[in-house]
Amino acid sequence: MALTCDRQPVRIAGAWGAVFSMALAAFVLIASEFMPVSLLPLVAHDLAITEGQTGQAISVSGVFAVLTSLVMAHLTRRIDRRLVASAFTSLLVVSGTIVAFAPNYPILMLGRVLLGIAIGGFWSMSTSIVMRLVSDNEVPKALAWINGGNALAATISAPLGSLLGAYVGWRSAFFLVVPIAILALVWQWISLPPMPPQDQKSGGNVLRLLARRQVLLGMASTMFLFMGQFALFTYLRPYLETAGGFTIKAISLVLLLMGLAGVLGTVAIGRALRTRLFSLLIGIPAIMALLAIGMVAFSSASPLVAALLVAWGFFGTAAPVGWGTWVSRHISDDAEAGGGLSVAVIQLGITAGAAGGGYLFDIIGWWGPFALATLILAASSILALAAMRNARRNAV
């Protein structure tokens, strides 16, 4: 018998302070995860390694995020969730410090491994903790705030890392996240209430949830959504340079606008999810598939491409809020295991999408990943439609 989070919300004054502390932790997590993207040459030169080896510091965090997400709920089943959440935020502090002062490649990788554990643990339990802090109809809004921290970090981490790396060095850029992580840790400890685990009927293997048809359909749709999204997004820069003729400055501006649109998307979707959950889960990947087609059809029209990418950022960044809300409603009896499975599925989708898109990019050019993204996003929409029909049958 496993012990996981109690479903009943903890009604406390200042619960939104706890939500905001988690949003800050999400900001630090994502900033830490993507900071190396703009610092690869500096890190490689200083540690006397190749840029390819430095790039592995990004992928290793994803691998350990998957592994952690699959086992976290079971391994921590007897521990107060407040302590567990604080422990994962503490790992952020340790990871950032290790990476900033890493004297060699193995120590750098150790820091990134700890970051991956923190990522997997935090995202696995974020939905279940939110469900205990706020009422059911406020869950989408709370998840939107947390994902807003995610979107903001994704927007500024690469350009900020590049700027800091040029003026104060890559180590200072990495160390910047440490005081912010400490602030998030202190805020969490003050604002999160005690959340003791409670008996549940389910076992420790999160994959058992796939035996439920609703979960299987939802997780498949989630994986296809992220697979399609990153099949395209990973190869966005060469597309903009070659097909669109964008300059480096123009590309930076478009990416910034995409990120800002993503922040707006996470705020806007919160209210709509209260009454139109499945409509959004079906509609978002369908719209993104149409946007991908538009980018191929109008690749030479730079202003239109920029507008399409801003729309892509608006819908794509908001999508995780929708699936987090789906977990809170359809796996409410085991939200931590559902959250862990969701994190694993998302990470696998990102990896598969980037790999598949890269394969097609090398064979047939930039439009290959865009065609792949269109098909996979359409499949995500169809699977979400099947999940909606299944939910309605079960409700009868």
Side-chain angles (χ1 to χ4, degrees):
M1 181 174 291
L3 297 172
T4 54
C5 272
D6 182 7
R7 171 64 187 94
Q8 185 174 350
V10 180
R11 304 296 186 207
I12 58 170
W16 282 97
V19 172
F20 297 149
S21 74
M22 294 183 64
L24 181 60
F27 172 86
V28 181
L29 276 169
I30 300 303
S32 300
E33 184 175 13
F34 292 107
M35 189 76 79
V37 171
S38 58
L39 297 170
L40 288 183
L42 297 176
V43 177
H45 180 268
D46 192 37
L47 297 182
I49 56 179
T50 67
E51 290 189 24
Q53 287 176 306
T54 311
Q56 295 303 316
I58 300 175
S59 59
V60 72
S61 61
V63 171
F64 277 85
V66 172
L67 296 176
T68 303
S69 66
L70 291 174
V71 301
M72 185 280 299
H74 181 64
L75 293 180
T76 63
R77 64 192 183 279
R78 301 181 186 277
I79 306 174
D80 189 301
R81 310 334 264 171
R82 180 192 186 203
L83 294 176
V84 178
S86 299
F88 284 123
T89 307
S90 298
L91 275 183
L92 272 177
V93 178
V94 176
S95 168
T97 304
I98 289 176
V99 170
F101 294 98
N104 52 46
Y105 183 61
I107 300 300
L108 176 73
M109 294 295 281
L110 171 63
R112 298 296 294 182
V113 166
L114 295 178
L115 175 63
I117 295 172
I119 291 170
F122 176 86
W123 288 115
S124 295
M125 69 168 51
S126 60
T127 298
S128 63
I129 289 179
V130 164
M131 290 167 62
R132 301 184 71 182
L133 293 174
V134 300
S135 61
D136 289 345
N137 64 350
E138 291 178 317
V139 168
K141 180 181 176 182
L143 291 175
W145 273 104
I146 294 174
N147 280 277
N150 176 353
L152 181 61
T155 301
I156 70 172
S157 59
L160 181 61
S162 179
L163 180 66
L164 291 173
Y167 287 98
V168 297
W170 69 269
R171 294 183 185 275
S172 296
F174 275 110
F175 191 74
L176 177 67
V177 304
V178 174
I180 305 176
I182 293 174
L183 175 60
L185 175 61
V186 173
W187 194 358
Q188 277 184 351
W189 187 254
I190 293 172
S191 60
L192 283 174
M195 290 181 284
Q198 229 182 20
D199 287 332
Q200 292 262 330
K201 296 180 180 179
S202 56
N205 180 12
V206 302
L207 297 178
R208 73 190 181 281
L209 294 173
L210 295 176
R212 307 183 193 179
R213 182 171 175 79
Q214 175 63 208
V215 176
L216 181 62
L217 290 171
M219 290 297 173
S221 180
T222 302
M223 186 174 72
F224 276 31
L225 171 70
F226 282 88
M227 189 184 302
Q229 186 174 2
F230 280 84
L232 185 151
F233 183 75
T234 306
Y235 305 96
L236 195 55
R237 177 164 178 170
Y239 158 74
L240 292 174
E241 288 178 336
T242 57
F246 283 71
T247 64
I248 299 299
K249 289 184 178 180
I251 291 174
S252 299
L253 178 60
V254 169
L255 293 177
L256 177 62
L257 292 175
M258 284 179 65
L260 294 175
V263 175
L264 293 176
T266 59
V267 174
I269 197 175
R271 292 183 178 180
L273 283 171
R274 295 177 183 176
T275 56
R276 300 182 179 277
L277 174 60
F278 277 110
S279 295
L280 290 168
L281 296 181
I282 295 167
I284 286 177
I287 291 171
M288 293 175 70
L290 293 175
L291 291 173
I293 293 173
M295 291 179 215
V296 174
F298 304 104
S299 59
S300 59
S302 299
L304 183 54
V305 167
L308 292 171
L309 285 172
V310 170
W312 177 278
F314 181 89
F315 290 104
T317 310
V321 184
W323 284 111
T325 303
W326 173 82
V327 168
S328 73
R329 295 183 186 177
H330 293 274
I331 321 180
S332 59
D333 60 321
D334 210 347
E336 284 194 4
L341 181 59
S342 179
V343 172
V345 163
I346 288 170
Q347 292 288 340
L348 288 173
I350 291 172
T351 302
Y359 178 76
L360 291 177
F361 184 90
D362 289 340
I363 294 178
I364 59 178
W366 64 263
W367 66 270
F370 284 68
L372 177 64
T374 300
L375 294 174
I376 294 176
L377 288 167
S380 174
S381 184
I382 293 170
L383 287 166
L385 175 62
M388 180 186 71
R389 291 178 175 175
N390 176 260
R392 289 179 175 175
R393 283 197 299 268
N394 292 339
V396 175

